[in-house]
Amino acid sequence: THEFASASDLWFHAQGTPGSHVVLKGAHRSTPHSVIETAASIAAYFSKARNSSTVPVIYAEKRHVRRPRKSKAGTALCSRGKTIFVKPALPEKE
């Protein structure tokens, strides 16, 4: 996440449960809410909360996400994050 994402990309993670980080490349203030919901659903799907009906997913610009010193790989702290509640799912194929 820290090497792949640029500062303005959006970072997503299922809150309070182990899971993958999802990065929405090229995101900006006018990114449609439906795209943000889809990215959050993917983050929820690839977490231990996959079988829950709704999952809280935190998201923020990558510039507000950091790795604490001497922490394990995959650990991240987020400031200025927002929480969205979504149903875990992968996007439907068109």
Side-chain angles (χ1 to χ4, degrees), residues 7-86:
S8 62
D9 293 340
L10 288 179
W11 171 89
F12 297 80
H13 187 271
Q15 196 169 12
T17 187
S20 298
H21 301 172
V22 172
V23 175
L24 181 57
K25 299 287 289 174
H28 43 79
R29 293 188 192 276
S30 62
T31 299
H33 190 69
S34 61
V35 174
I36 291 172
E37 284 180 344
T38 300
S41 294
I42 293 168
Y45 183 84
F46 286 107
S47 74
K48 295 265 182 167
R50 176 188 293 192
N51 297 320
S52 300
S53 58
T54 58
V55 177
V57 175
I58 190 166
Y59 70 99
E61 287 185 341
K62 166 45 184 86
R63 74 180 88 236
H64 301 297
V65 179
R66 66 179 181 83
R67 181 176 173 214
R69 289 183 189 169
K70 299 182 181 180
S71 63
K72 295 187 289 184
T75 304
L77 289 178
C78 176
S79 61
R80 297 188 189 184
K82 296 179 183 178
T83 301
I84 184 172
F85 289 84
V86 294

